[in-house]
Amino acid sequence: MSEDKKINRRLCILRDHLNYNSQNNSQQQTQSTINDDDQSSLQINNCYSISNNPPFTINYFEPHENESLRSYHLSLKQKDNKLLPKTKSLNELKAFYATDANSLSSRLLQSRERKLFTKGYTQTREKVLEILNTNDLYTIDNEWNVHQFRQQLDSQYREFMKSNLITVQLINEEIHKFLGGLEVALNYDVSFAAKVTVSLQLFGTCIYRLGTEKHLYLLDDLNKGIDIGCFMMTEIGHGSNVRKIETTATFDNNTKEFIIHSPTDSSCKYWIGNSAVYGTKAVVFAQLLMNGQNKGVHVFYVPLRDPKTLTLREGIEVRDVGVKQGWNAVDNGCIRFNKVRIPLDNLLDKYGKVDVEGNYSSNIKDENVRFAVTLSALAIGRLLYIAGPTFALQTGLTTAVRYAHQRRQFGNGMKETLIWDYPTHKDKIIPMFAYVHAFYAGWSTLAEECSKITEDFHAIVSGIKAYTCEYVSPALLTLRVCCGGHGYSENNRIGRLMNDMDVFNTAEGDGTVLYQQVAKYLMDKLKNQKLVKKESVLYQVFNESNKKCNTSSITTNNVGEFQRKALSFRVFTLLQECGKLLTKDSNWNNHLVKLVELAKSYIELELLNRLQNVLVINAVDNESKLVLQMLSDMFGYLIIRKDLSFYLINNYFDGTIASQMEKGLEILFRDIDKYTLDIITSFNVPDFLLRAPIGVNGNYVQNTLESIGMKRLNV
């Protein structure tokens, strides 16, 4: 390509980006600067080309600068293509690089997916794997700029939606299938998974769960990828406190329309995914104003752009919020509405209706209850924010552990010592195996419970979401550091995963706010213990936890019971303390530190219970059960050790028991070490998705050189 054409193309990219932000018709302007010869060369070079579905023109950009990395990624696809599975029964399920379905890694995978297999989880995962593997459109280049990254991912998303594998209806009716697809999408690229989730789960679920029959037509083009959905709740001035958002929807009695308006600067919708460039439809949370009265927060469908031209509707101003720490293929925007009129039917009116005469009605008379029910319809999103970080941590562990079993550093003998053999290395990483299985148990069991959003479900999913995200972000940083300089490379992806996961701590609810929801739930239950279900974890807390430890020695047979009782005692004691504090001083905020501590302790008990009573019990054979039991015991011990001072101060057990626990952890670390590579293989992350030269199968030195185009020496 001539230098003039390169310069011309770069100018097109820059101009296109600026034109989007100034609301000019960027498609026509940029297209006019590219002659027919340029278009042909761009299409030949496999760049983003004119799309026939939907029928609008997308601008072009330079081909992949890093052809070595692209070639390396394509070679991984070719190698993995022969291994693409089509599993028909659970006992045929084989981990990607296992020798067969009877290997330990395969049996561990079967154990984890035993409850999921019959729900379509595994089958959907395998179908999405095949789509991403067999089409070379699905590649990621680390050297794309943000605008290029967005364009490529938009092209990939629209192509993926043609498969009709993931739809709004599937997300809301067959969540296990969506989770299976999400596992692959997230391992491929978090921005890709986010684009799917924002459009289908956030926007689509609002239409599906908060709208009525008259709104379902909106899902047709959404499921085809013609429409791109946006979820407009957050404002510059309000995030977690949704009740106080400032955007208004005023009913006009004369025209029978709603007027969507941003009355203040702080009311501009902000951080809105898919909105800066590609979004065509939005659900907007706004205060419903009627006849001078505020009826509270309601949700409205608002057309954003023409899906054929991407031209913004009149009265809507959009700005790109710019480069972020992660998720940079998702075009987040800032939106201001200037008295935008929408029809009466655009109110999503399942829980609150307005008729043509301007009369408001709802089957839920209490505004607070109505608001809570509206938001509870979106609780399923928090389930995804548990599964996503779990998948990310599995991916990070796969890279870091495989690398540690190859990389050598220092040592006294002729051969340097594997970094995995240094106790400090294992001490950082091995606990993550226990935690990631606890998180897996968390999301997989909640998926079974989410068909009916109850008060219990809402509290537990909120708390586990906060706890999981709080752990995974620093864990990925630790894995990055454990990989040394290689971990810092974008090619090895741990740093990108770390950045992409960081926002999970605040998206779908800030952790501290979510912990308070758990604490309020627990305090309410403390006052109404008779309403606690016998099969719940809380029933054990209230009925078996006010006694001190009666165990003189921890054995293999009683370790699980010991751990459950210890964690239950901690929850019960903190509940009593918080109850007394709130009796003396009813100002909730004065006791936040203790209340958050209470919430975390309860979530730890929930995770341990789910790990013991579901994941371990579902093991397909004795050996896999042994491994899962060790991971469960390790998780319980790690939690108790973290809070050891609490137990000693409250005289729950003495130093003898504490010493036994420490010895037990030492033995578990030693024993689980033998299985680390089997566990990593059971995570089932194909090389073409992992893409980390130091983490994929083979020699990390040769992989690294190949990924940057360096020829190997013939020695």
Side-chain angles (χ1 to χ4, degrees):
M1 183 183 294
S2 70
E3 193 63 29
D4 287 344
K5 287 184 178 179
K6 285 187 176 182
I7 294 172
N8 184 40
R9 187 174 298 172
R10 291 192 182 102
L11 289 172
C12 290
I13 296 166
L14 176 61
R15 185 161 149 191
D16 176 53
H17 190 63
L18 294 173
N19 284 339
Y20 270 128
N21 284 338
S22 62
Q23 301 185 53
N24 291 329
N25 192 339
S26 59
Q27 284 72 33
Q28 295 178 5
Q29 290 188 10
T30 308
Q31 190 64 34
S32 68
T33 65
I34 303 178
N35 60 39
D36 293 339
D37 291 337
D38 286 334
Q39 291 183 29
S40 299
S41 67
L42 287 167
Q43 292 179 5
I44 290 171
N45 278 295
N46 195 33
C47 286
Y48 198 81
S49 58
I50 296 175
S51 172
N52 293 320
N53 185 22
F56 59 80
T57 300
I58 298 292
N59 302 300
Y60 300 97
F61 56 73
E62 283 196 68
H64 303 273
E65 292 289 345
N66 193 340
E67 286 297 338
S68 299
L69 186 63
R70 174 176 166 79
S71 297
Y72 179 65
H73 289 168
L74 292 178
S75 72
L76 294 177
K77 281 191 170 192
Q78 292 169 3
K79 291 175 184 176
D80 284 345
N81 182 263
K82 303 172 185 177
L83 301 175
L84 291 175
K86 292 184 179 178
T87 309
K88 295 181 180 178
S89 63
L90 182 67
N91 59 9
E92 292 179 7
L93 180 58
K94 183 179 86 70
F96 221 80
Y97 301 110
T99 52
D100 55 47
N102 292 318
S103 66
L104 177 58
S105 53
S106 294
R107 284 181 278 124
L108 286 169
L109 177 62
Q110 292 164 16
S111 298
R112 284 201 303 273
E113 297 192 9
R114 189 172 184 176
K115 298 284 284 186
L116 305 175
F117 189 86
T118 57
K119 305 293 178 61
Y121 179 93
T122 307
Q123 297 83 347
T124 307
R125 180 185 64 215
E126 292 178 355
K127 290 175 183 177
V128 177
L129 272 175
E130 183 176 10
I131 289 172
L132 297 188
N133 177 271
T134 55
N135 189 336
D136 289 350
L137 174 67
Y138 300 105
T139 58
I140 302 293
D141 191 323
N142 296 332
E143 295 187 7
W144 287 335
N145 63 36
V146 170
H147 194 49
Q148 292 170 331
F149 196 12
R150 288 176 178 177
Q151 287 185 323
Q152 264 309 81
L153 264 290
D154 183 70
S155 172
Q156 293 177 17
Y157 172 77
R158 294 179 192 276
E159 180 66 25
F160 177 77
M161 292 305 296
K162 293 177 184 178
S163 70
N164 202 39
L165 262 180
I166 307 296
T167 65
V168 175
Q169 290 86 342
L170 180 133
I171 292 173
N172 286 277
E173 297 168 11
E174 299 179 277
I175 185 63
H176 294 86
K177 290 183 179 180
F178 177 58
L179 288 165
L182 182 69
E183 178 187 336
V184 180
L186 190 135
N187 284 335
Y188 170 64
D189 184 79
V190 178
S191 286
F192 181 80
K195 195 173 182 75
V196 173
T197 302
V198 170
S199 190
L200 300 183
Q201 189 270 316
L202 286 176
F203 173 86
T205 294
C206 279
I207 301 296
Y208 187 86
R209 289 183 179 266
L210 300 180
T212 50
E213 189 71 28
K214 64 188 175 187
H215 298 111
L216 294 182
Y217 77 95
L218 294 167
L219 303 180
D220 295 341
D221 283 348
L222 190 75
N223 287 333
K224 296 174 184 176
I226 296 173
D227 274 322
I228 305 292
C230 307
F231 179 81
M232 297 191 181
M233 176 187 282
T234 301
E235 299 175 352
I236 290 183
H238 290 91
S240 297
N241 190 4
V242 181
R243 285 179 181 275
K244 295 297 183 181
I245 59 173
E246 299 174 82
T247 303
T248 58
T250 305
F251 181 70
D252 187 331
N253 283 290
N254 296 321
T255 63
K256 314 304 180 187
E257 295 173 310
F258 295 107
I259 304 171
I260 308 296
H261 187 58
S262 305
T264 64
D265 286 343
S266 58
S267 69
C268 291
K269 297 295 184 181
Y270 208 83
W271 290 118
I272 308 304
N274 294 341
S275 68
V277 180
Y278 299 108
T280 58
K281 289 180 169 59
V283 287
V284 178
F285 285 69
Q287 304 285 353
L288 173 57
L289 306 180
M290 299 184 64
N291 302 317
Q293 291 186 328
N294 188 340
K295 297 295 184 180
V297 175
H298 287 65
V299 188
F300 301 82
Y301 152 62
V302 180
L304 192 63
R305 290 184 177 88
D306 184 317
K308 294 183 179 180
T309 65
L310 294 185
T311 302
L312 278 169
R313 284 196 63 202
E314 186 177 352
I316 301 176
E317 182 181 359
V318 178
R319 291 290 185 272
D320 192 332
V321 303
V323 180
K324 308 177 291 292
Q325 185 172 318
W327 290 32
N328 275 308
V330 179
D331 50 311
N332 292 81
C334 173
I335 299 91
R336 175 183 278 131
F337 295 101
N338 184 13
K339 299 179 180 178
V340 176
R341 290 180 173 270
I342 59 173
L344 176 66
D345 282 348
N346 284 28
L347 168 65
L348 302 184
D349 56 357
K350 184 173 184 178
Y351 299 117
K353 301 180 184 295
V354 176
D355 64 23
V356 292
E357 301 302 324
N359 300 309
Y360 180 84
S361 62
S362 174
N363 292 329
I364 306 173
K365 302 306 178 185
D366 188 313
E367 182 182 325
N368 293 327
V369 175
R370 186 166 60 245
F371 176 76
V373 170
T374 298
L375 291 190
S376 71
L378 305 172
I380 191 175
R382 288 176 184 164
L383 170 60
L384 308 183
Y385 276 65
I386 303 168
T390 305
F391 301 145
L393 185 53
Q394 289 179 170
T395 301
L397 278 167
T398 300
T399 295
V401 173
R402 282 185 182 161
Y403 175 66
H405 278 81
Q406 286 197 56
R407 177 62 188 258
R408 295 181 179 274
Q409 196 84 299
F410 304 114
N412 298 322
M414 293 290 293
K415 205 170 187 179
E416 291 180 284
T417 302
L418 284 172
I419 61 174
W420 182 255
D421 288 337
Y422 289 100
T424 47
H425 208 80
K426 295 177 185 178
D427 189 62
K428 293 174 183 177
I429 294 178
I430 285 180
M432 297 183 196
F433 284 93
Y435 274 86
V436 80
H437 279 81
F439 301 151
Y440 193 101
W443 73 255
S444 60
T445 52
L446 285 167
E448 294 286 316
E449 302 164 16
C450 72
S451 58
K452 187 176 181 181
I453 308 299
T454 63
E455 178 190 27
D456 297 342
F457 176 86
H458 188 268
I460 295 167
V461 76
S462 297
I464 294 181
K465 182 269 181 189
Y467 194 89
T468 303
C469 297
E470 189 176 71
Y471 181 88
V472 168
S473 291
L476 287 168
L477 174 59
T478 298
L479 293 175
R480 204 293 297 162
V481 174
C482 284
C483 293
H486 288 303
Y488 197 60
S489 169
E490 276 282 279
N491 290 353
N492 288 315
R493 293 189 64 213
I494 297 180
R496 177 170 287 194
L497 276 175
M498 181 177 69
N499 286 341
D500 284 339
M501 285 299 111
D502 194 43
V503 73
F504 279 59
N505 287 284
T506 48
E508 285 283 341
D510 171 82
T512 302
V513 175
L514 296 185
Y515 283 135
Q516 288 184 69
Q517 292 180 12
V518 177
K520 288 179 179 178
Y521 162 81
L522 293 172
M523 299 311 298
D524 287 343
K525 294 299 181 184
L526 180 63
K527 298 174 184 176
N528 301 282
Q529 295 183 32
K530 292 182 180 180
L531 300 179
V532 175
K533 299 175 182 176
K534 287 188 176 181
E535 64 272 18
S536 70
V537 171
L538 265 183
Y539 186 84
Q540 177 183 328
V541 171
F542 289 131
N543 291 276
E544 302 175 17
S545 305
N546 55 353
K547 301 174 184 177
K548 299 297 174 71
C549 177
N550 56 6
T551 301
S552 58
S553 178
I554 304 172
T555 66
T556 304
N557 294 329
N558 71 4
V559 61
E561 182 183 10
F562 165 78
Q563 291 175 349
R564 285 195 305 274
K565 286 186 175 181
L567 268 60
S568 296
F569 173 80
R570 177 166 162 76
V571 176
F572 183 80
T573 305
L574 290 171
L575 259 173
Q576 299 285 7
E577 289 181 15
C578 290
K580 291 176 182 177
L581 288 172
L582 288 167
T583 300
K584 293 179 181 179
D585 176 8
S586 61
N587 189 325
W588 180 270
N589 288 343
N590 289 345
H591 313 296
L592 280 182
V593 174
K594 183 65 70 174
L595 288 163
V596 168
E597 184 183 359
L598 164 65
K600 289 183 181 181
S601 71
Y602 172 67
I603 294 304
E604 288 165 346
L605 176 59
E606 277 283 352
L607 287 171
L608 179 66
N609 188 70
R610 290 163 188 265
L611 187 51
Q612 289 181 344
N613 294 340
V614 180
L615 210 55
V616 175
I617 289 176
N618 281 325
V620 296
D621 72 305
N622 289 333
E623 188 179 20
S624 57
K625 184 173 185 177
L626 172 66
V627 174
L628 293 171
Q629 186 65 63
M630 287 192 292
L631 292 168
S632 175
D633 292 346
M634 185 186 297
F635 178 74
Y637 276 147
L638 288 167
I639 297 301
I640 296 171
R641 184 174 71 172
K642 172 177 65 70
D643 300 313
L644 188 60
S645 60
F646 168 87
Y647 292 101
L648 295 175
I649 289 170
N650 286 278
N651 297 313
Y652 183 74
F653 51 63
D654 58 20
T656 302
I657 293 293
S659 298
Q660 288 182 23
M661 285 196 309
E662 199 61 34
K663 183 64 177 178
L665 261 178
E666 183 182 330
I667 294 171
L668 286 170
F669 272 47
R670 181 196 66 201
D671 290 347
I672 208 70
D673 186 9
K674 297 178 290 187
Y675 299 104
T676 49
L677 289 176
D678 288 305
I679 296 171
I680 287 299
T681 303
S682 79
F683 289 159
N684 208 33
V685 184
D687 286 349
F688 83 92
L689 293 182
L690 188 67
R691 301 194 302 279
I694 65 170
V696 301
N697 287 278
N699 183 289
Y700 84 90
V701 174
Q702 296 170 5
N703 291 337
T704 299
L705 292 177
E706 183 182 349
S707 71
I708 62 171
M710 180 77 77
K711 292 183 179 180
R712 294 168 54 191
L713 294 174
N714 294 318
V715 294

